[in-house]
Amino acid sequence: MRAATREGASATVRDLLRSGLLLVTGTAVLRVSLVSDICLRYVKPGMQPLLVATGFTLVAAGLLGVHRAEQAAAHRRAARQDPPPARDGHGHDHEHTPRVAWLLLLPALALLLFAPPALGSYTASRDTAAPVEEYEEFAPLPRQGAVPLTLTEFTARVRQDEERSLAGRTVVMQGFVTPRADGTWDLSRLLIACCAADARTLTVTVHGAAAPPADTWVRVTGAWHPGGTLGTAGAAVALDVTEVVPTPEPPLPYLDRAPEPDPAEDAGA
């Protein structure tokens, strides 16, 4: 009877641990996808509803497991009978949680206690450059003032625009700082198709300004840095910078968006 009681208690603990693992993992997923938008550091916005659904499913499974474990424990206490026949013929129930399942615990706790930041300069300096789509035509640029551009459009205009619309024009772009080994730096953005695991890099080499700390998000103003022939594949994707202003990390860091117009500049114009 004592052996049966010990086995029953052990089974209850195992069931509660399994359920607790599901609860911790589900809560962590909900924290980064429902309570906040932290998940957008790792996946595209379209994946967020799926993460929310996954979090609720894991929490529900964990709660169901706790309920069943408590019911089984109450039944054993009431019945005071031997546990079910052992599976291996030795009088013991060797059912246990697969060890690999416990590998979920550390990342789940990390998401609960400390959510890792979005990918940054470390990835950008080692990753594959993202191919820029072929533009059939380019929209006319404003006749006056600095032109807000994405890194994608800047790259395309530099290497594809036979009209050389960037010649002599001032542009404004936004990205994070990726230092180079030679002391120079790149303005970078990371693009993802699904999640951070498939990230690809967009970079613009910066000239004329000292490098801010790595991973700092900045808004830069400048003009195309001559190198190669503008409007051809051999043109340098580079910028002679006149101004570098730190800026907060955008809420959707993997979307290559042009910076919002500066109200001060609009007022001056």
Side-chain angles (χ1 to χ4, degrees):
M1 180 64 73
R2 291 181 178 177
T5 302
R6 286 196 298 270
E7 283 298 319
S10 177
T12 300
V13 170
R14 287 196 299 269
D15 290 342
L16 290 175
L17 286 175
R18 281 195 292 263
S19 300
L21 179 59
L22 290 173
L23 284 171
V24 170
T25 305
T27 302
V29 172
L30 289 176
R31 180 197 172 230
V32 300
S33 60
L34 179 65
V35 179
S36 69
D37 291 329
I38 293 175
C39 67
L40 298 181
R41 300 176 184 175
Y42 324 119
V43 299
K44 294 187 73 171
M47 300 289 290
Q48 190 170 8
L50 298 178
L51 286 176
V52 172
T54 299
F56 277 121
T57 301
L58 290 172
V59 169
L63 292 174
L64 181 61
V66 171
H67 177 67
R68 287 181 173 176
E70 291 178 345
Q71 279 189 327
H75 177 73
R76 283 190 290 266
R77 287 194 299 268
R80 297 294 183 183
Q81 61 184 14
D82 292 336
R87 297 182 179 183
D88 61 358
H90 296 290
H92 300 285
D93 182 6
H94 287 276
E95 181 183 359
H96 58 83
T97 302
R99 292 182 180 179
V100 69
W102 293 103
L103 295 177
L104 290 172
L105 184 59
L106 287 180
L109 289 175
L111 289 177
L112 278 174
L113 303 176
F114 172 74
L119 299 180
S121 61
Y122 181 86
T123 301
S125 62
R126 293 163 174 79
D127 208 355
T128 305
V132 175
E133 63 180 298
E134 293 288 333
Y135 279 63
E136 294 183 1
E137 60 180 356
F138 293 92
L141 295 178
R143 294 184 178 181
Q144 297 181 344
V147 182
L149 292 178
T150 64
L151 271 65
T152 299
E153 185 176 353
F154 178 81
T155 303
R157 285 182 181 272
V158 165
R159 291 188 165 175
Q160 299 177 26
D161 186 6
E162 297 179 354
E163 299 297 324
R164 302 180 184 180
S165 58
L166 290 182
R169 295 304 305 271
T170 300
V171 300
V172 183
M173 294 183 290
Q174 180 174 296
F176 60 84
V177 176
T178 300
R180 291 188 168 200
D182 60 3
T184 60
W185 59 286
D186 292 331
L187 183 71
S188 303
R189 297 296 294 256
L190 290 169
L191 307 179
I192 62 175
C194 172
C195 62
D198 59 28
R200 291 294 180 266
T201 306
L202 286 170
T203 60
V204 174
T205 303
V206 174
H207 298 271
D215 296 312
T216 303
W217 280 83
V218 293
R219 175 188 174 111
V220 301
T221 303
W224 176 66
H225 175 81
T229 302
L230 186 61
T232 69
V237 183
L239 199 69
D240 283 324
V241 170
T242 57
E243 184 180 43
V244 178
V245 180
T247 186
E249 178 181 324
L252 301 175
Y254 301 120
L255 291 184
D256 184 24
R257 290 178 172 172
E260 295 293 330
D262 189 337
E265 292 179 2
D266 291 345

